[in-house]
Amino acid sequence: MGELPRLPVPIEHRVLRWACGLSPRASRLLFGKPPTIDGQTLSTETHALLTLARWSGSDGFYAGRTVAEARAQSRYEARVTGRPRPTQMAEVRRLELPGPNGPIPARLYVPPLPAPDAAAPLLVYYHGGGWVIGDLDMYDDLTRLIAAASGVKVLSVDYRLAPEHPFPQPLEDAFAAFEWAAANADSLGVDPARIGVGGDSAGGNMAAVVSQMAIAGGDTRPAMQLLFYPVTDSAEDTRSRLLFAEGFILTKADMDAFEAAYLPPGVDASDQRISILKCPDLAGLPTAYVATAGFDPLRDEGEAFALRMRDCGVRVALRRHSGLIHTFVNQTAVNRTALAAVLEACGALRLGLAPATPQAV
């Protein structure tokens, strides 16, 4: 494993922007032909990013690193791939939510809205990072983009992380944050009937499980799920976990290490609060937009969950971005294909949380 990159963040960012801005022909000449696997071809921009990561010695997220090293590397990479100037918001409000395990830090992102005084929709967002890495600052760029592009307020939740706080503590924080948002809709300036949940990777897992928990015994049901490549089956290895086990940033070794950190000894990985794909009945879950990446170990379980929801009568839009990899939501400032994928999801979010149309009399 190589050492952490030492170049100044602005220089690293410009290098990535330049590499992703090359024409497909120039990119292939410099970085080689993108691989084709399982009938999919990696986008030239993503191939350039992966090649540069490999040249710098980056080879995954967590496996082989200490928790501190993994978190430091991820924070650095978030600064490198983020926008040099933050997307402007009408307001960014720091909050501290009550939770069963103690206070939960959060941020409310309020985009410029056409009717600022009217109740707006809200997305409660849970960041990715294998339940081990990730924080509000690392996801500041993405949450601002989602808010600005969708016209939806976003509550970003800084749930506790494993291994210091293993399952079920992060999930308990996630559920408490959603229930708090629903109970405090007035003070947040949001419509309680238009509060959705969303997340990527481990955060997508928690958004889906929070939806199931809310249906089973919560006071409020989420209006929508926005799921980017969610973890849905920690009990079994899917074909994509093996097919893309190495070489595409998130590795199978990373996932094994993340899940080992999240799940204390003796916990059954097939517990439906961990592997929601094992739930025999998903009827009643909110409408969902599920985005997966073609070159992602988590691709198959995310798609299986979407199809299982659909079979149970849930309205689901499933979108595979065949040329992208895990973490594409964090690449939008440098990778145009990734940006287009997130903007598409923002359009779905805007529609999914739109006001209900009055019925004709």
Side-chain angles (χ1 to χ4, degrees), residues 20-37:
C20 289
L22 293 171
S23 69
R25 182 175 182 275
S27 183
R28 285 191 291 269
L29 287 172
L30 182 58
F31 299 111
K33 184 179 178 181
T36 296
I37 300 175

Side-chain angles (χ1 to χ4, degrees), residues 142 145-146 226-229 289-293 319-325 328-329 331-332 335-349:
L142 174 65
L145 174 61
I146 292 174
L226 180 70
L227 310 178
F228 295 104
Y229 37 77
Y289 180 89
V290 182
T292 63
R319 177 72 154 96
R320 178 192 293 187
H321 298 281
S322 60
L324 295 178
I325 60 173
F328 73 71
V329 300
Q331 301 169 13
T332 60
N335 185 334
R336 291 165 300 184
T337 307
L339 175 60
V342 172
L343 291 178
E344 179 183 306
C346 290
L349 179 64

Side-chain angles (χ1 to χ4, degrees), residues 4 22 48 53 68 105 119 122 137 147 155 161 189 191 206 239 330 350:
L4 295 181
L22 293 171
L122 174 73
D137 289 338
L155 181 68
L161 297 176
D191 181 349
M206 290 194 293
R239 177 171 172 269
N330 305 106
R350 179 187 290 269

